[in-house]
Each structure stands twice: as C-alpha cells, then as structure tokens.
Amino acid sequence: MRHRWFLERLRTNWTVLTLYERFEQIVSLVISLLLTILILVALWNLISSIAHLINTPDDTMQEHRFPAVFGSMMSLLIALEFNHTIFHSIQHSGHIVRVKTVVLIAILGIAREYILLDAKPLHAAIILGYGISVLCLGIVYYVLDVRENSVSRINAPQYSPED
C-alpha cells in the first residue's frame, strides 16, 4: 500500500519537475538501489562473521575478530542512515540531500573509527586528528542547526493576539 502511494506520488510529481530535477530523481533512485544491494551483502557478511565468531572456540581468534564484527555493524548502521537520507530526498522531490545530514553521517563515520581504535600504541597525531575532525564537524552541525532553526522561525506564520 505504501509503495503504491510512493510510486503514485512520484508519477504525479514527475510532470512538474524540471529536466534536471528528473535527472536528480533518477540518480537518487539508482544510488538508493545500489546502496540497498550493498547493505544486503554487508548484512550477509555480518551474519556469517558472527556465526563464525560463535563457532570458533579459540579465544585469541575472537579477540581479533570482535572489533571487526563490531566495525561491520557500525558501518552497516551508517549505510542504513545514508540510504534513508537518499530515500527521504526521493520522497520529497525537489529537496536534495541536506548538508546537515551528511555532516552527521561524517561524524558517525569518524566516531566509528575512534571507537575501533586498537589498544596498541598509536601516534598522538592520529588521535588528535580524530578529535579535531569531530570537533569541527560538530561546530558545523551546530551552525547548520542554528541557521535552520532561525530560518524556520522567520518563515513561521506570525499570529497576533487579535487573531
């Protein structure tokens, strides 16, 4: 039922879209389809990795495989969020993927790397680089959020007490 509504809405909106907006819709659909296939393959690999982890009795093997499995889970969640963002832009034709969402996905990617850092000695510049990257992306996200909220307050209808 929901798919029929989505396809009907897409077909109805298709007639009012410009040529470039139609191009954006087609590219977004192809990217979403490819990302869906990638997510399914990654999910299958994750399931097989977890099954292998459970069936392997060697503790040393599990110590090295667990961070890889956890990293795969986080990558899969990031891919799902990215696909959701693309699909959302398709549903709301005329609205491109929002920069704020892309910045949030970048923060998730860097947080994934930070969480998966090994306990082995690392150069301080690597940890500092992750920290500065997350800080800068957090500031950009905050600025975008403040700007979005101020624009929405400006565009909101103003009601007077007489109304």
Side-chain angles (χ1 to χ4, degrees):
M1 178 74 175
R2 185 177 176 125
H3 297 295
R4 188 179 317 153
W5 174 80
F6 169 71
L7 292 175
E8 180 67 28
R9 185 173 168 197
L10 186 64
R11 189 173 58 83
T12 303
N13 290 342
W14 190 262
T15 58
V16 295
L17 294 177
T18 66
L19 183 63
Y20 185 75
E21 288 172 336
R22 289 178 185 179
F23 172 73
E24 280 182 350
Q25 291 290 309
I26 291 170
V27 170
S28 295
L29 281 169
V30 170
I31 290 173
S32 183
L33 177 67
L34 292 174
L35 198 50
T36 300
I37 293 169
L38 182 68
I39 288 169
L40 290 174
V41 170
L43 180 63
W44 177 255
N45 287 337
L46 178 64
I47 291 170
S48 64
S49 294
I50 290 174
H52 181 70
L53 189 65
I54 291 171
N55 292 329
T56 305
D58 189 14
D59 287 340
T60 59
M61 177 70 165
Q62 288 185 359
E63 285 179 23
H64 297 292
R65 300 269 302 151
F66 184 74
V69 169
F70 188 68
S72 297
M73 284 181 194
M74 292 187 66
S75 296
L76 193 57
L77 290 173
I78 292 168
L80 283 170
E81 179 61 34
F82 191 55
N83 197 26
H84 175 75
T85 301
I86 293 171
F87 194 72
H88 188 326
S89 73
I90 294 169
Q91 285 181 323
H92 298 87
S93 56
H95 292 88
I96 194 76
V97 175
R98 296 174 48 211
V99 174
K100 184 177 166 186
T101 307
V102 174
V103 170
L104 181 61
I105 292 170
I107 291 171
L108 290 172
I110 293 173
R112 175 197 174 275
E113 290 299 318
Y114 190 74
I115 290 171
L116 295 176
L117 287 177
D118 273 342
K120 66 183 179 185
L122 290 174
H123 198 276
I126 293 173
I127 297 173
L128 182 65
Y130 285 141
I132 291 172
S133 298
V134 170
L135 178 66
C136 292
L137 286 170
I139 291 169
V140 168
Y141 186 82
Y142 175 77
V143 168
L144 289 171
D145 190 50
V146 167
R147 188 190 75 171
E148 182 180 289
N149 289 336
S150 65
V151 167
S152 65
R153 272 187 259 128
I154 291 170
N155 292 335
Q158 302 295 322
Y159 296 104
S160 64
E162 294 86 34
D163 287 343

